[in-house]
């Protein structure tokens, strides 16, 4: 079975979005370099530094399934039916939005995080299961099911917003020393969760 990995951009004060769910201050690094990194969907091509490409390329190609919450799914309009990583998307939601599921999209809906994770792991096989929301990251950390955390740390202080790790119920959670990749306007930190 592949690793379960949470990967999000985060402000220096620990937020993954501002108080209005905005991520503009955190996503600038996706377009601040000369190295073109295509995604699985031609609508999205990233232009990053060579250092950031070293983290972004594998993130886009190694993902065998992605789990997100309904809030992110709605904010992105379900990525138009196809996530940039090109993998199936497993949405944790108590309700299914109108028009979904769709025949042209590998998107499925699950009422609880553990069922979604089980289905995503079966789908991904030996590939990575990506977790893309802070609430689900916390739940999988609390359950001891997360293998790795990648924080793309952006040098900005948002002051308020959606915290990446607020509300952990099982703490402390110990992490190994990070692998560090310094990009432009971002430092990528990858931590293995110690069990």
């Amino acid at each position: 079975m592949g690793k379960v990995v949470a990967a999000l951009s985060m402000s220096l004060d620990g937020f993954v979005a501002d108080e209005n769910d905005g991520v503009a201050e955190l996503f600038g690094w996706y377009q601040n370099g000369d190295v073109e990194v295509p995604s699985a969907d031609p609508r999205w091509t990233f232009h990053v530094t060579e250092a950031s490409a070293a983290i972004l390329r594998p993130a886009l190609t190694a993902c065998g399934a992605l789990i997100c919450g309904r809030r992110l799914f709605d904010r992105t309009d379900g990525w138009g039916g196809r996530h940039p990583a090109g993998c199936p998307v497993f949405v944790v939601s108590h309700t299914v939005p109108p028009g979904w599921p769709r025949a042209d999209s590998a998107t499925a809906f699950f009422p609880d995080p553990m069922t979604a994770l089980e289905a995503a792991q079966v789908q991904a096989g030996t590939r990575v299961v990506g977790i893309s929301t802070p609430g689900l990251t916390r739940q999988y950390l609390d359950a001891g099911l997360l293998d790795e955390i990648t924080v793309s740390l952006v040098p900005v202080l948002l002051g308020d917003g959606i915290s990446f790790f607020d509300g952990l119920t099982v703490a402390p959670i110990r992490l190994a020393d990070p692998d560090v990749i310094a990009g432009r306007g971002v430092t990528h930190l990858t931590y293995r969760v110690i069990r």
Side-chain angles (χ1 to χ4, degrees):
M1 206 169 289
K3 292 188 288 189
V4 179
V5 177
L8 289 163
S9 291
M10 183 180 81
S11 68
L12 191 58
D13 52 352
F15 299 108
V16 296
D18 66 24
E19 68 275 5
N20 299 311
D21 264 354
V23 294
E25 292 287 343
L26 301 173
F27 280 17
W29 68 270
Y30 283 107
Q31 297 296 335
N32 74 355
D34 298 328
V35 178
E36 186 173 289
V37 179
S39 75
D41 189 318
R43 293 175 295 167
W44 293 294
T45 298
F46 306 101
H47 296 89
V48 296
T49 63
E50 188 59 50
S52 289
I55 195 101
L56 186 56
R57 279 188 193 109
L60 290 172
T61 58
C63 195
L66 180 89
I67 302 175
C68 72
R70 175 70 184 272
R71 181 174 168 170
L72 177 62
F73 182 80
D74 288 349
R75 293 272 308 158
T76 63
D77 194 26
W79 295 279
R82 185 166 188 203
H83 189 273
C87 63
V89 175
F90 295 76
V91 183
V92 178
S93 176
H94 294 293
T95 60
V96 176
W100 292 90
R102 296 178 2 194
D104 67 339
S105 176
T107 302
F109 296 84
F110 294 85
D112 71 88
M114 299 311 155
T115 305
L117 179 58
E118 289 170 9
Q121 287 178 310
V122 168
Q123 174 68 46
T126 59
R127 297 177 75 196
V128 168
V129 174
I131 312 301
S132 65
T133 59
L136 291 169
T137 296
R138 292 188 297 265
Q139 290 179 62
Y140 295 136
L141 276 169
D142 284 339
L145 299 172
L146 200 68
D147 298 304
E148 204 170 86
I149 301 168
T150 296
V151 174
S152 292
L153 188 63
V154 178
V156 64
L157 300 171
L158 294 180
D160 196 9
I162 299 170
S163 172
F164 198 170
F165 300 109
D166 188 40
L168 287 172
T169 59
V170 178
I173 293 174
R174 291 182 175 77
L175 309 173
D177 290 338
D179 292 331
V180 180
I181 296 176
R184 180 184 307 132
V186 64
T187 302
H188 307 283
L189 305 164
T190 300
Y191 298 90
R192 184 178 50 81
V193 177
I194 298 173
R195 292 201 178 102

